[in-house]
Amino acid sequence: MKDPLQRPDDWIDPRERRQNLDDSKVPRYVEPDGLEHWWDVKENVIRTNDAGTYLSFHSFYTRDYEGHSYAKLYFDGSFVTITQEGKFPGHVSFSPNYREKTDAGELVWHVDHILREFVLPDHESYRWVKHADALPKVTISGLDLFDDCAQQDRFIYLLTTLLSRHDGVVELALVGKKAKGKVIFGDTLLNSFETGELIR
């Protein structure tokens, strides 16, 4: 019986096609404190001038699986998971609603949950597998609490800054179109920041 996890000899990783994109016009931004950031459209990651600090986006959907999407903000040698309220409790979801913008034209990114641990189909290790029920499960976990208030504040700054110039539209970024985004934290998460319950 054929192993469903065995990579087919003729399978081509769709990400290889993205390597041919001309990203020379993708905007770069420099903040007053010297933080430089830009969208690496080939890898779907927001990079910074610190190689250990970046924001990655992850998603997987199939006909037999309701799907998931989330982001990971890497800094201080680990990462924080980021999601919004999903369609049902426990759903793992993080993506912009392109119809929702602020009066200033900023794309809204809702952030309702962080520091979560997920158990998900391991699509990223077996990208050629088309059915979620054939995939082994993988645990996604990073930081579970912040070390101190300074680290929490740095997380908030990095996330709001990196998403402030990101709308997820590759075609516009490739022609040099500058984007505007705005992070809106959920009330429960804001309260957790203020009370310090997410700090060790």
Side-chain angles (χ1 to χ4, degrees), residues 19 44 181:
Q19 301 309 309
N44 199 23

Side-chain angles (χ1 to χ4, degrees), residues 10 33 68 92 131 155 187 194:
D10 60 351
D33 65 355
H68 64 254
V92 177
H131 299 285
F155 163 80
D187 290 342
E194 293 173 359

Side-chain angles (χ1 to χ4, degrees), residues 44-198:
N44 199 23
V45 171
I46 302 179
R47 305 281 183 195
T48 75
N49 52 342
D50 175 355
T53 300
Y54 57 96
L55 180 66
S56 62
F57 299 90
H58 308 263
S59 62
F60 174 55
Y61 301 89
T62 64
R63 291 181 179 179
D64 67 328
Y65 175 59
E66 71 275 6
H68 64 254
S69 59
Y70 62 96
K72 295 193 291 188
L73 177 57
Y74 287 82
F75 72 115
D76 289 357
S78 187
F79 65 84
V80 171
T81 57
I82 301 155
T83 59
Q84 62 196 54
E85 287 293 345
K87 293 177 288 187
F88 49 83
H91 188 229
V92 177
S93 176
F94 185 67
S95 60
N97 178 344
Y98 293 103
R99 293 172 294 181
E100 184 179 7
K101 294 186 177 181
T102 68
D103 292 340
E106 301 158 309
L107 182 77
V108 173
W109 295 88
H110 287 283
V111 175
D112 300 300
H113 305 286
I114 62 172
L115 306 170
R116 291 174 64 188
E117 180 176 284
F118 320 127
V119 178
L120 301 171
D122 190 9
H123 167 66
E124 295 189 2
S125 296
Y126 305 93
R127 293 179 181 271
W128 53 89
V129 177
K130 297 181 179 179
H131 299 285
D133 58 6
L135 290 167
K137 301 293 187 181
V138 63
T139 299
I140 310 297
S141 61
L143 290 176
D144 55 358
L145 290 171
F146 295 111
D147 290 337
D148 50 37
C149 188
Q151 188 180 49
Q152 176 178 280
D153 289 346
R154 178 162 169 74
F155 163 80
I156 294 170
Y157 164 72
L158 287 170
L159 184 63
T160 56
T161 301
L162 297 185
L163 289 179
S164 70
R165 308 293 180 90
H166 185 59
D167 62 6
V169 183
V170 173
E171 294 80 7
L172 294 180
L174 289 174
V175 297
K177 176 72 173 180
K178 292 189 175 182
K180 294 188 293 184
K182 182 176 179 61
V183 170
I184 296 181
F185 292 107
D187 290 342
T188 300
L189 187 52
L190 283 174
N191 183 66
S192 297
F193 288 150
E194 293 173 359
T195 60
E197 64 183 78
L198 300 180

